C-alpha cells in the first residue's frame, strides 16, 4: 500500500462514518445476497454485529500507516472467526460485499483510485488473516 492509498482509504472511510449504521446494514444485506451460505454463521443481534464491524474497520483503517502494529489483532480476529465457522474462502465474498457497500455509500466519491486503494488494503489485511486462519486450522499456530 502506498501512502496515497492509505490517505484515500482513511479519507473515504471518514465519509462513511456518518452513515455507519446504514453502511453496516448494506454490507450484511449484500454479503447474505452473494453468499447465503454464510448467514447461519451470524447468530446474534445484527445491529450489534454491524457496530462491531464498523468499530473494527475503524481500528484497522486508523492503523494503516503502521501495518505491523495491527497485524497481531488481525491474526487474533482471524483465529477467533475460525471458531464461528469462517473459512478462508469467505474472505473473498466479504471483500466483494465491502467494496459494493463503499460504492453505494460513497457514490461518486468512490472513484477508481479509491476502489483500488480499498482493494489493496483489503487484500493486504485479508492475506494476513487468511494465513493466520490457515495456520490455526492446520494446528501450526505459534504463540508469541
Amino acid at each position: 500500500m502506498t501512502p496515497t492509498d492509505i490517505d484515500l482509504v482513511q479519507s473515504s472511510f471518514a465519509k462513511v462514518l456518518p452513515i455507519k449504521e446504514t453502511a453496516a446494514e448494506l454490507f450484511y444485506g449484500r454479503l447474505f445476497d452473494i453468499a447465503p451460505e454464510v448467514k447461519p454463521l451470524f447468530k446474534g443481534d445484527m445491529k450489534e454485529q454491524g457496530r462491531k464491524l464498523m468499530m473494527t474497520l475503524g481500528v484497522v483503517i486508523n492503523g494503516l500507516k503502521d501495518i505491523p502494529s495491527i497485524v497481531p489483532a488481525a491474526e487474533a480476529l482471524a483465529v477467533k472467526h475460525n471458531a464461528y465457522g469462517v473459512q478462508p474462502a469467505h474472505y473473498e465474498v466479504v471483500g466483494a460485499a465491502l467494496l459494493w457497500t463503499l460504492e453505494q455509500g460513497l457514490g461518486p466519491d468512490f472513484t477508481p483510485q479509491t476502489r483500488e486503494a480499498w482493494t489493496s488494503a483489503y487484500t493486504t489485511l485479508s492475506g494476513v488473516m487468511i494465513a493466520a486462519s490457515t495456520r490455526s486450522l492446520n494446528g501450526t499456530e505459534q504463540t508469541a
Side-chain angles (χ1 to χ4, degrees):
M1 290 191 66
T2 68
T4 301
D5 288 340
I6 293 168
D7 289 342
L8 280 170
V9 170
Q10 290 178 336
S11 64
S12 60
F13 187 68
K15 294 175 185 175
V16 172
L17 285 176
I19 60 160
K20 62 185 176 186
E21 288 182 20
T22 300
E25 289 174 15
L26 285 169
F27 170 80
Y28 285 111
R30 180 65 173 173
L31 179 63
F32 299 153
D33 282 347
I34 63 175
E37 69 277 8
V38 304
K39 191 170 185 177
L41 302 178
F42 296 88
K43 298 180 183 3
D45 175 22
M46 290 309 295
K47 285 203 180 287
E48 178 61 24
Q49 183 66 37
R51 283 189 284 277
K52 289 178 182 178
L53 168 71
M54 297 308 289
M55 183 181 71
T56 301
L57 279 174
V59 169
V60 169
I61 289 163
N62 286 332
L64 286 177
K65 290 185 178 175
D66 184 15
I67 289 182
S69 72
I70 59 175
V71 164
E75 290 175 331
L77 186 60
V79 171
K80 184 177 179 182
H81 280 122
N82 285 348
Y84 301 131
V86 174
Q87 299 295 311
H90 293 146
Y91 288 88
E92 183 177 342
V93 292
V94 167
L98 176 62
L99 291 174
W100 180 88
T101 300
L102 291 164
E103 183 176 18
Q104 302 309 303
L106 293 169
D109 288 337
F110 195 62
T111 64
Q113 295 83 6
T114 303
R115 174 183 287 280
E116 190 174 307
W118 273 94
T119 299
S120 177
Y122 186 78
T123 301
T124 298
L125 290 164
S126 66
V128 166
M129 294 179 75
I130 290 167
S133 172
T134 301
R135 285 192 308 270
S136 175
L137 289 170
N138 292 336
T140 58
E141 186 69 72
Q142 296 179 354
T143 56

